[in-house]
Amino acid sequence: MRDELPAARYLVLASRLIPDLDGGFTISVLRRAADMAAAGAYVTLLTVDPGETADHDAHRAEWVRRGLLGSGESLRNLFDDARSDPSWLRRAAIPGPVPSSPWPTRAITDADGETVLELPIVSGDAAWHLTDAPVRVHDGGAVIGWLPGFGGLYRAWLNAVAAERTDGGAEVARTPVVVLCEARQIGETLVAAGEPALDAGIRVLHTTHACHVLSPFRWDSPMDAAWQRWFEIADRFDGVLWLTPSQRDDVERRFGAQRLRSFVVPHPAPVVSAPSDPVAGRIVILNSLIPRKRVDHVLRALPAVRAAVPAAHVCVYGDGASGAELRALAAELGIADAVEWIGHVADPATQAWASADVLVLASTNEGQPLVILEALAAGVPVVAYDMPYGPRDTLAHGGGVLVADGDIDALGAALIDVLSDRNRRAELSASGRAAAAAMDAAASMRALGTAVRAVLADPVSR
């Protein structure tokens, strides 16, 4: 897989990477960074959540334990850096009187209890990250300057990290810096006008992780305010990475093919080493218990499935705000004895795929569900609604059954088909494994390499 990526220093920038938080987003970011490192790239993960250093150290250790981080030192946090060596912060600070602000502040202190900086606490505004309220910079107990909001702080840190001499060797030190921004809120601040500006030599590729439209989830459906605001500035990124061709095509249909420099870089199918010994009739759900996942559709389909396949039962991995309501619905439908609520499991894949007969996904929308890729790699057939985005593209070469979006009867019929016909299941299992093999990490890195070469050759003028 080496040599898929151009020589560069790669900075993968996320808002936070906390174990068991933010679902598939966190796992996908860590896996991508690991795949990049395996491809020979010099990669550093960066986060900007203002937690305590001790908590960040615990997170790093846990990711190393789970095998998703090569070493704790490859995951850095802005505020940890400011506490340990604030020289970059003080160099970037704008001297002189600090502008007035109506917002209270939160002090970030170092190991000796000295204040390093003060963050504005902006409440009641979904676009808090775009504030220009000053970040106060301290030295020796006194305010020595300020930075314009979170954008000024983030850009100052990114410039400092990009300028560091690295331990990746002289060749890496001379190469360009490519930022893979994994969060819309951070991305908006990076390309916003203001001082300090992002250094001209830094190339920013912005990745996307979610569906950009609201119900009824068509290409021209409404968007929420955050997505609308993001699309207004998305042409300032050197490139935008979409997970599926379907989403890229819908965006280009809406905004025009020339509006953004778009690339498709899908999640790769992971290597699943769990031995497969499916339990007949075991329907696995592996997602949060929230309304968007429509677990209730699976429960409503289950009585008909059990009538045709008496061994049919559901194992639910995950928890969430809808848990109590879904348990009550199972009791109301008379299927409580056929539903096992396993709850949150730190690493559910090994347990789930070893015994799953079929995976079902009934969400209203997704980005590109990692759970489908994992199921295919494990040889577990998938039954999924044909929702945007992901299932249609991911199952295009086999491994599952697409069902008309929201059709509970059709969902049940597809589950019956897979569970009752063992030859059919075997065919889907084999085609799913083959499809997963073609969607491996090397394929994803080749796609990313194409995007990086394009932006290095022709950067966007900001």
Side-chain angles (χ1 to χ4, degrees):
M1 193 167 65
R2 289 185 173 271
D3 301 323
E4 302 291 355
L5 298 177
R9 185 172 178 211
Y10 292 90
L11 304 176
V12 179
L13 177 60
S15 52
R16 61 189 184 186
L17 293 170
I18 300 176
D20 306 321
L21 206 63
D22 302 322
F25 164 81
T26 303
I27 301 301
S28 69
V29 171
L30 288 164
R31 284 181 179 171
R32 191 203 300 272
D35 289 340
M36 293 169 66
Y42 186 82
V43 184
T44 305
L45 283 155
L46 306 175
T47 61
V48 298
D49 65 296
E52 298 299 325
T53 298
D55 293 330
H56 295 146
D57 288 343
H59 300 159
R60 295 181 186 101
E62 178 60 14
W63 290 130
V64 171
R65 187 191 70 80
R66 296 188 191 183
L68 288 168
L69 188 64
S71 70
E73 294 178 356
S74 63
L75 172 55
R76 291 171 58 175
N77 174 269
L78 183 156
F79 298 95
D80 295 349
D81 279 10
R83 292 182 181 105
S84 63
D85 180 5
S87 58
W88 62 270
L89 182 65
R90 293 164 182 166
R91 286 195 302 270
I94 300 170
V98 178
S100 61
S101 168
W103 303 112
T105 62
R106 170 188 174 184
I108 302 296
T109 58
D110 63 18
D112 296 323
E114 293 289 334
T115 297
V116 177
L117 59 89
E118 292 179 79
L119 296 173
I121 302 174
V122 181
S123 57
D125 185 355
W128 59 268
H129 55 290
L130 298 178
T131 183
D132 59 2
V135 173
R136 299 168 181 265
V137 179
H138 289 242
D139 188 6
V143 176
I144 63 164
W146 61 284
L147 290 167
F150 295 96
L153 178 62
Y154 297 165
R155 292 191 297 271
W157 183 51
L158 202 59
N159 288 341
V161 173
E164 290 174 349
R165 295 183 62 85
T166 74
D167 60 0
E171 181 180 353
V172 171
R174 291 193 299 267
T175 57
V177 174
V178 176
V179 174
L180 269 67
C181 182
E182 303 279 3
R184 277 180 291 150
Q185 286 183 335
I186 299 175
E188 289 180 272
T189 68
L190 295 185
V191 298
E195 294 297 329
L198 199 63
D199 285 351
I202 297 175
R203 305 289 173 257
V204 181
L205 281 166
H206 199 298
T207 66
T208 57
H209 288 269
C211 177
H212 63 284
V213 291
L214 301 172
S215 180
F217 305 107
R218 293 192 293 263
W219 71 273
D220 57 351
S221 292
M223 297 185 296
D224 68 22
W227 272 110
Q228 291 178 30
R229 189 175 60 241
W230 184 85
F231 273 109
E232 288 174 0
I233 56 89
D235 59 346
R236 301 180 197 171
F237 300 114
D238 294 286
V240 176
L241 308 183
W242 304 98
L243 291 171
T244 64
S246 294
Q247 189 170 16
R248 177 206 56 195
D249 293 348
D250 279 358
V251 168
E252 291 186 347
R253 183 179 181 186
R254 183 169 191 152
F255 295 102
Q258 305 305 314
R259 175 71 172 78
L260 307 177
R261 183 186 291 173
S262 290
F263 305 90
V264 176
V265 181
H267 293 318
V271 176
V272 177
S273 57
S276 180
D277 185 18
V279 175
R282 177 159 295 175
I283 302 166
V284 165
I285 295 173
L286 206 166
N287 53 236
S288 301
L289 305 186
I290 56 176
R292 182 173 66 86
K293 299 297 185 175
R294 291 192 293 198
V295 174
D296 61 304
H297 283 215
V298 182
L299 298 181
R300 294 182 189 282
L302 188 56
V305 176
R306 292 189 77 196
V309 185
H313 59 285
V314 175
C315 287
V316 184
Y317 291 83
D319 55 22
S322 299
E325 180 182 343
L326 291 168
R327 286 175 172 83
L329 176 60
E332 177 187 330
L333 294 170
I335 56 169
D337 63 326
V339 183
E340 182 179 2
W341 305 94
I342 295 172
H344 173 75
V345 178
D347 184 14
T350 299
Q351 180 180 344
W353 305 137
S355 62
D357 213 9
V358 63
L359 169 78
V360 63
L361 185 67
S363 306
T364 60
N365 66 94
E366 295 283 352
Q368 184 197 16
L370 288 176
V371 69
I372 291 183
L373 288 161
E374 291 173 355
L376 297 183
V380 176
V382 176
V383 171
Y385 277 151
D386 188 11
M387 94 290 279
Y389 290 96
R392 174 171 290 274
D393 298 271
T394 308
L395 298 175
H397 300 291
V401 180
L402 281 177
V403 175
D405 190 17
D407 190 333
I408 295 176
D409 291 340
L411 187 72
L415 288 169
I416 292 169
D417 176 51
V418 175
L419 294 174
S420 62
D421 186 338
R422 304 317 289 176
N423 289 332
R424 169 74 165 146
R425 186 199 183 278
E427 291 171 358
L428 289 171
S429 177
S431 63
R433 288 185 187 276
M439 295 184 287
D440 63 359
S444 181
M445 290 300 99
R446 285 194 294 272
L448 178 58
T450 296
V452 173
R453 289 183 183 90
V455 304
L456 290 178
D458 185 21
V460 167
S461 175
R462 287 189 289 269

